[in-house]
Amino acid sequence: MRTDGLDSDDESIMSLRDSVKEIAIGSFAGMVSEIIEYPADLAKVRLQAQLLTPPTDPSQIFKGPIDCLQTTWRNEGFRGLYRGLPAPVAGSMVETAALFLSYSYFQNLIRTFAPPSSSSPQLTVPQLGLAAAGAGFVTSFILTPIELVKCKMQVQLMNTSTNARVPPIHTVPKAVERLVRTTPSVASSPIFDHILRNTPSEGRRPPGLVEIVRSTVATHGVRGLWLGHTGTILRETGGTASWFAVKEWVAGKLLERRLGPNRTTRSSDSLLTWESAFAGAVSGAACVLALYPADTVKSAVQTEEELLSHRFSSSRERKAAPTKPPSFYRTFVKMYTSHGVRGLYAGCGMTVLRAVPSSGVVFVVYDGLSAWIG
């Protein structure tokens, strides 16, 4: 017998309304966060990418995050700091919406199988962490293709001024590219190599989102869009668990300090703006530090092919290059052997610095809109 006064239709309507609210609020929060943090994310990815595939010119190796941002600004301008932004902005809206929606779903699932006690109607921090881990696992399947495209676009210009003699095939004139597609034998001819070597560098345009997706699918199949997924799963499952659990714990402590230990409201219902920002900022740092090496390896896996494509001096070398994607484990071992623990944390300081305000903004927007919409 139902005791809450709601029939099944009312419950379905409320569930649908809550889902729409989670999607709308999460999408907006994700978009705002991505725009704020993007330059720092670009520096992080470039620092991670150069560990295993450094520029052939040692003078072009970034010395740190500030040097990376300064060099990018000097060589590529303001647009360079936001290279590849449209894909992650659209993706972050989908990803953040899915994250909060999944988090709410797993919380309800836990309440179904492990109802909270009457004395404490709220889920415990470990239960919230479990729900967040499930949300991170689900969201990783959406996030990996988005990050693959983003990372490839972020490192496109890292090797364009090196001693490599031949640009990648996707930067040559469209007429030559169409000729190669229609007549594959041309790609292996000396004439084609001569055309590549003498193609002027002015006006070359790195591939865009659609071209990268098309090239990846053509080379590795649809599964190629999930290159580096192991790292994303590890990072998102553990990192998201830390993100939500730490946020709720800190928010609970702040509310307890202000309202007393006998409070009965949820943390997000009565947080002040500064409390939501502070709890979000602390949780953002915890999220990054939880499984940062997994993100470093993921970035190296996703960018290696793009960076190596600038090194080939002939079409024969391009054809002889390995086409099998690197595995997460082999890349991890290679990075640890070459650079040790310090290498696995390349760009970590910059990432923490961007995560603190970004995560604070996400929860300020999310908690604020949740309280306003009701």
Side-chain angles (χ1 to χ4, degrees):
M1 177 182 294
R2 296 183 59 84
T3 59
D4 54 9
L6 295 176
D7 58 28
S8 59
D9 291 338
D10 292 334
E11 197 172 53
S12 299
I13 293 173
M14 290 183 64
S15 177
L16 178 61
R17 187 193 67 178
D18 290 342
S19 297
V20 172
K21 184 183 76 171
E22 294 288 342
I23 292 173
I25 296 175
S27 297
F28 185 75
M31 179 187 67
V32 173
S33 169
E34 190 67 38
I35 293 174
I36 291 174
E37 70 175 25
Y38 195 79
D41 181 72
L42 178 136
K44 178 210 72 168
V45 171
R46 291 189 170 189
L47 287 169
Q48 291 172 331
Q50 73 176 11
L51 289 174
L52 291 186
T53 318
T56 54
D57 184 355
S59 66
Q60 295 185 19
I61 297 177
F62 301 122
K63 301 175 179 63
I66 301 301
D67 177 60
C68 180
L69 290 174
Q70 290 176 338
T71 303
T72 300
W73 173 271
R74 184 168 57 250
N75 295 338
E76 304 171 41
F78 179 79
R79 292 182 62 183
L81 295 176
Y82 284 90
R83 176 166 298 281
L85 177 64
V89 162
S92 68
M93 295 174 67
V94 176
E95 181 246 336
T96 309
L99 187 65
F100 280 99
L101 184 62
S102 300
Y103 182 50
S104 178
Y105 170 80
F106 281 108
Q107 286 185 77
N108 292 332
L109 195 63
I110 291 174
R111 289 190 183 96
T112 301
F113 291 97
S117 63
S118 57
S119 60
S120 179
Q122 309 301 323
L123 293 179
T124 64
V125 171
Q127 287 175 323
L128 291 172
L130 180 61
F137 177 83
V138 170
T139 309
S140 69
F141 288 86
I142 301 173
L143 192 57
T144 299
I146 296 169
E147 291 210 347
L148 176 73
V149 175
K150 179 201 71 173
C151 289
K152 283 180 175 290
M153 295 186 73
Q154 286 176 331
V155 302
Q156 281 174 336
L157 300 185
M158 283 179 62
N159 281 338
T160 52
S161 299
T162 66
N163 294 327
R165 290 182 293 163
V166 179
I169 189 171
H170 48 241
T171 63
V172 301
K174 292 292 183 182
V176 178
E177 187 178 344
R178 284 195 298 270
L179 179 62
V180 174
R181 283 202 305 266
T182 56
T183 314
S185 59
V186 172
S188 60
S189 68
I191 297 177
F192 181 66
D193 284 342
H194 176 76
I195 293 173
L196 285 176
R197 291 193 183 94
N198 291 277
T199 299
S201 58
E202 294 80 3
R204 286 178 182 164
R205 179 180 59 84
L209 186 153
V210 175
E211 293 165 293
I212 288 177
V213 172
R214 184 188 302 154
S215 173
T216 301
V217 172
T219 305
H220 304 293
V222 176
R223 291 182 60 184
L225 295 174
W226 277 265
L227 179 66
H229 187 53
T230 300
T232 309
I233 285 181
L234 292 175
R235 186 197 67 192
E236 290 300 304
T237 302
T240 305
S242 302
W243 194 42
F244 279 107
V246 171
K247 189 267 179 180
E248 293 294 338
W249 182 81
V250 174
K253 291 298 181 182
L254 291 174
L255 282 177
E256 185 177 314
R257 175 177 174 273
R258 180 161 57 88
L259 301 178
N262 296 324
R263 65 182 178 87
T264 58
T265 57
R266 293 188 308 133
S267 61
S268 59
D269 289 338
S270 53
L271 283 174
L272 300 177
T273 301
W274 76 266
E275 291 173 333
S276 184
F278 181 79
V282 174
S283 68
C287 174
V288 170
L289 294 172
L291 283 166
Y292 188 83
D295 181 70
T296 302
V297 177
K298 176 203 72 73
S299 294
V301 169
Q302 292 182 328
T303 57
E304 183 179 26
E305 185 177 55
E306 181 69 26
L307 290 173
L308 287 176
S309 68
H310 295 263
R311 305 291 178 83
F312 305 137
S313 59
S314 71
S315 59
R316 291 183 179 86
E317 290 179 355
R318 281 192 299 276
K319 294 177 71 174
T323 58
K324 185 178 180 180
S327 73
F328 179 87
Y329 175 74
R330 288 198 301 271
T331 303
F332 173 83
V333 171
K334 186 176 179 181
M335 295 186 77
Y336 179 77
T337 303
S338 302
H339 303 281
V341 174
R342 185 176 179 180
L344 294 173
Y345 282 87
C348 183
M350 172 65 76
T351 308
V352 171
L353 288 177
R354 79 173 171 87
V356 167
S358 172
S359 182
V361 167
V362 166
F363 280 110
V364 165
V365 172
Y366 184 84
D367 290 341
L369 289 178
S370 294
W372 181 58
I373 293 176

